[in-house]
Amino acid sequence: MTLTAGGRRLAAAALVQSLGIGLFMASSMAYFTRQVDLSANQVASGLAVAGVVALGISLLGGALADRYGARRVLAAVYLGRGVCCAAYVFVTDFWQFMVVTLCAVACDRAGPPVLQALVAVAVPERQERTRLLAVVNVVRNCGLGVGAIAAGAALVGDTQAAYRVTLLAIGLAFLGGAVLVLRVPETAAPAADAAPEAAGEQPVRSRVLPDARYLTLTGLNFLLFFFDTMLLVAMPVWILDHTGAPRATVSVLFALNTVLVVVLQVPVSKLATSQRRTTRMLTWTGSVLAVSSLCFAESGSVGGGPAVAWLAAAVVTLSLAEVIANSAVWDLSIALAPEEQRGRYLSVFNLSVAGQRVLGPLLVTGLLLGSGTLGWVVAAAVLAVAGVAAERVARAAGERMRAGVPVDA
C-alpha cells in the first residue's frame, strides 16, 4: 500500500521507538540485576505494581488528546518514555527504580490509544487508517526483533558503561520518535478547540465513561485478546509441563508467530472493508481462537512428532486470530467512538488490552492450565461465544451511530 507523508512518518516513528523498546526488553533485566543490584523478584514485583497503577493513569492520555490534540500528546508520551530510559542510568535503589518504572509504564500504556487517535485525524479514510495501523504493527514487530538483537552488544560487554550507553541510545530513539510524530499533519482540530457550526448548537456533554455498548465491547475484547496471554504464558508452560514435545519447540513457535504476524497483518487488514465485514471478523476471531485452544488440548494427549504438529497448528491458528482481531478492533474502536471524545473512548478501550496483560497470566495459571485438557475445551467454548457476542454488540452500536442517536441517550 502507498502511505501518505503523515503515514510514513508514523511508521518511521513506530520503527524508531520499537528499536528502543527491543533494546530495553533484551538488556534491562541484566542491567537492573547485575549493575543496580536489584533482585529478579524486586524487578518483577516493581513491574507488576507499576502495571496495575498505570492502568488508571493511562486514561489521562485520552483526555489530554481530546483537549490538546493527539499529535502533541503522543510526542509528549514518546519524550516521557525517553526521559525515563535516560533516568534509569541514575537509579541506585529499589524505590528509585519504582518511581521511574511507574512513569515509564504509564507512558507506555497511554501511547497506543493516543496513536490511534492521531491516525484517526491524520488519515480520515476508514480503510486506509486500518491498513496504516497494520503497517505500524508490522514495523513495530520488526523493530522489536532488531532492537533485541542489537542489545547483544551490551550483554556481551556486561559493563556498567555498556548498559548506560544502551539506555541513552534508547532514550534517543524515543526522542527521534517524538520528533517524527510532531511532523504528522492533523486534518482535524482537537474537539476542545472546535467551534459550534451554528449559534443554536449545544456543546456535546462530556462523559466520564463511554456508553454501555462501547463498554460491553471493551469487556468482550478482553477475552478476544486472550491470544496474547495464550502465546506468552500458556504456550511455553503447556509445552514444558503437559506435552512430550522437545523444549526447543517453544522458541521455534515464538519465531513462527512473529513471522506469521509480519506476513499476514497487512493483507488481513484489507478484509476490513465495511462495517458489516469488520464486525463479522470478531466472530472469526473467537472461532479461530477456539480452534487454537482445541489444538493445544489435543497436543497434550500425544507425544513426539504428533504433539509438535498439533502445537504448530495451534500457533498458526492463534497467529491468524491475532491479525484478525487487530484489524477488527483497530477499525471498530475508532469508528464507534464519537469524534469529540475519541481519545477518552480509545483509552478506556485500551484497558481491555492492558488488563489482559495484567490479569491474563493469573487466569491462565490459576484456571486454564490448572484444569489440563478440560481447561482448553472450556476456553474454546468461552472464546467462541465471546466472538459472536462481540459481533452483535458492535453491530448494534454501529446501527445506533448511523441512526444519529446521541451517545448520552
Side-chain angles (χ1 to χ4, degrees), residues 32-47:
F32 293 134
T33 56
R34 298 177 66 83
Q35 303 299 327
V36 186
D37 290 329
L38 299 178
S39 68
N41 286 336
Q42 284 179 312
V43 176
S45 60
L47 289 171

Side-chain angles (χ1 to χ4, degrees), residues 347-367:
S347 289
V348 171
F349 192 85
N350 190 62
L351 289 179
S352 62
V353 180
Q356 174 64 234
R357 291 168 182 164
V358 174
L359 300 177
L362 299 177
L363 294 175
V364 162
T365 55
L367 297 177

Side-chain angles (χ1 to χ4, degrees), residues 16 33 72 88 99 106 109 119 147 152 165 170 182 192 203 244 263 286 341 394:
V16 171
T33 56
R72 283 179 283 182
Y88 277 126
V99 171
R109 296 290 188 268
V119 169
V165 169
I170 296 168
L182 287 174
V263 171
Q341 297 176 29

Side-chain angles (χ1 to χ4, degrees), residues 97-117:
F97 166 77
M98 277 297 305
V99 171
V100 177
T101 298
L102 178 58
C103 295
V105 175
C107 288
D108 178 69
R109 296 290 188 268
V114 178
L115 171 62
Q116 282 187 269

Side-chain angles (χ1 to χ4, degrees), residues 41 287 381 388 405:
N41 286 336
S287 299
V388 174
V405 179

Side-chain angles (χ1 to χ4, degrees), residues 8-299:
R8 289 194 296 271
R9 287 165 187 158
L10 279 173
L15 175 61
V16 171
Q17 60 98 24
S18 65
L19 287 169
I21 295 174
L23 278 167
F24 184 79
M25 289 173 61
S27 62
S28 58
M29 181 62 80
Y31 172 70
F32 293 134
T33 56
R34 298 177 66 83
Q35 303 299 327
V36 186
D37 290 329
L38 299 178
S39 68
N41 286 336
Q42 284 179 312
V43 176
S45 60
L47 289 171
V49 172
V52 173
V53 175
L55 286 177
I57 297 176
S58 65
L59 295 176
L60 293 175
L64 292 173
D66 288 337
R67 183 171 181 83
Y68 298 109
R71 178 177 57 190
R72 283 179 283 182
V73 174
L74 186 61
V77 165
Y78 285 175
L79 180 60
R81 294 175 74 177
V83 169
C84 288
C85 285
Y88 277 126
V89 171
F90 305 100
V91 167
T92 58
D93 60 40
F94 175 73
W95 293 110
Q96 292 176 0
F97 166 77
M98 277 297 305
V99 171
V100 177
T101 298
L102 178 58
C103 295
V105 175
C107 288
D108 178 69
R109 296 290 188 268
V114 178
L115 171 62
Q116 282 187 269
L118 178 56
V119 169
V121 295
V123 184
E125 206 283 316
R126 182 171 175 175
Q127 293 180 25
E128 290 304 315
R129 69 193 181 205
T130 301
R131 293 174 191 173
L132 172 57
L133 286 167
V135 171
V136 167
N137 189 51
V138 169
V139 166
R140 183 185 293 118
N141 276 280
C142 293
L144 289 173
V146 173
I149 293 172
L155 294 172
V156 170
D158 197 27
T159 64
Q160 189 174 73
Y163 287 115
R164 287 183 171 181
V165 169
T166 301
L167 287 169
L168 292 175
I170 296 168
L172 290 175
F174 282 115
L175 176 61
V179 171
L180 286 167
V181 164
L182 287 174
R183 299 184 61 199
V184 176
E186 290 180 309
T187 59
D193 298 332
E197 296 181 1
E201 183 178 341
Q202 296 295 322
V204 177
R205 181 159 53 92
S206 177
R207 299 177 61 97
V208 176
L209 292 174
D211 61 273
R213 287 178 176 81
Y214 200 90
L215 286 175
T216 302
L217 186 60
T218 298
L220 291 169
N221 190 60
F222 174 87
L223 295 174
L224 295 182
F225 260 64
F226 205 65
F227 61 78
D228 197 39
T229 308
M230 285 172 65
L231 178 71
L232 298 177
V233 180
M235 183 194 74
V237 175
W238 181 256
I239 290 175
L240 297 176
D241 295 346
H242 298 273
T243 76
R247 291 178 176 271
T249 306
V250 175
S251 58
V252 172
L253 292 181
F254 272 128
L256 176 62
N257 169 259
T258 300
V259 171
L260 288 174
V261 171
V262 169
V263 171
L264 295 176
Q265 187 65 81
V266 174
V268 170
S269 71
K270 297 177 182 178
L271 297 176
T273 55
S274 64
Q275 180 80 9
R276 184 176 183 85
R277 172 69 68 84
T278 306
T279 55
R280 178 57 58 88
M281 291 170 73
L282 296 173
T283 294
W284 299 350
T285 298
S287 299
V288 177
L289 280 175
V291 172
S292 178
S293 298
L294 295 176
C295 290
F296 274 119
E298 189 61 28
S299 69

Side-chain angles (χ1 to χ4, degrees), residues 304-328:
V308 173
W310 280 111
L311 289 167
V315 171
V316 168
T317 49
L318 182 69
S319 304
L320 182 59
E322 178 177 351
V323 295
I324 294 173
N326 283 337
S327 300

